[in-house]
């Protein structure tokens, strides 16, 4: 078993290393004055980064921030529209709809209870042998 784990580890370790190398090459940092510009090579997104207390802190560039704010506004309007639409749809069901739903539930419960009784009758006629 140990040999199998070691063999798999030997073959999978280079794959994990190549995946990490791919991620390492994803971002490019360029110094610009007192801050850095970080470019995401996959998406093209740019961020402004500064060194604060030994940690690199990044924030979105101004044009990305505007696009982000526009998307938030669009989603907020959509949520508001959906919430207002749901208020109109929350009307109570009619008496006929309630009666129909109760009728369906009664039939389902009767059918279920019938199956339970069949299983109990079958168990009583063919009891399982005691294995203890």
């Amino acid at each position: 078993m140990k040999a199998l784990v070691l063999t798999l580890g030997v073959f999978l370790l280079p794959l994990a290393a190549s995946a990490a190398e791919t991620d390492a090459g994803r971002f490019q940092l360029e110094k610009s004055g007192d801050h850095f510009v970080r470019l995401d090579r996959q998406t093209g997104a740019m961020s402004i980064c500064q060194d604060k207390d030994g940690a690199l802190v990044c924030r979105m560039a101004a044009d990305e921030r505007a696009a982000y704010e526009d998307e938030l506004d669009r989603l907020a309007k959509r949520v508001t529209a959906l919430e207002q639409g749901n208020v109109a749809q929350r009307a109570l069901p009619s008496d006929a709809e309630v009666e129909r739903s109760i009728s369906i539930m009664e039939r389902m419960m009767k059918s279920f209870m019938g199956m339970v009784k069949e299983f109990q009758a079958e168990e009583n006629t063919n009891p399982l042998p005691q294995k203890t």
Side-chain angles (χ1 to χ4, degrees):
M1 186 65 166
K2 285 183 181 181
L4 177 64
V5 171
L6 288 174
T7 305
L8 285 175
V10 168
F11 286 112
L12 295 179
L13 190 60
L15 293 175
S18 67
E21 288 173 9
T22 307
D23 270 350
R26 178 177 177 179
F27 296 101
Q28 177 181 349
L29 283 175
E30 293 290 329
K31 185 150 179 76
S32 175
D34 62 340
H35 61 274
F36 295 91
V37 176
R38 181 180 71 175
L39 170 67
D40 185 341
R41 292 182 180 181
Q42 287 183 351
T43 64
M46 294 179 69
S47 302
I48 309 282
C49 302
Q50 290 182 329
D51 183 20
K52 292 189 179 181
D53 299 326
L56 196 60
V57 178
C58 299
R59 58 181 166 78
M60 287 185 265
D63 58 340
E64 289 179 16
R65 185 68 184 181
Y68 177 73
E69 292 293 332
D70 290 343
E71 182 69 7
L72 282 178
D73 290 341
R74 185 188 69 79
L75 291 173
K77 289 176 185 174
R78 184 174 175 198
V79 166
T80 302
L82 288 171
E83 287 175 347
Q84 289 174 350
N86 284 344
V87 170
Q89 295 174 359
R90 289 188 196 159
L92 294 175
S94 67
D95 288 341
E97 291 172 328
V98 170
E99 290 298 324
R100 182 172 180 265
S101 297
I102 291 173
S103 171
I104 291 169
M105 291 299 292
E106 282 178 7
R107 282 186 278 148
M108 184 193 75
M109 289 302 292
K110 285 180 182 178
S111 175
F112 177 75
M113 293 308 287
M115 285 189 284
V116 169
K117 287 179 183 176
E118 286 178 22
F119 285 129
Q120 286 175 339
E122 183 178 309
E123 188 176 284
N124 289 338
T125 57
N126 299 326
L128 295 174
Q130 292 292 329
K131 293 185 178 182
T132 56

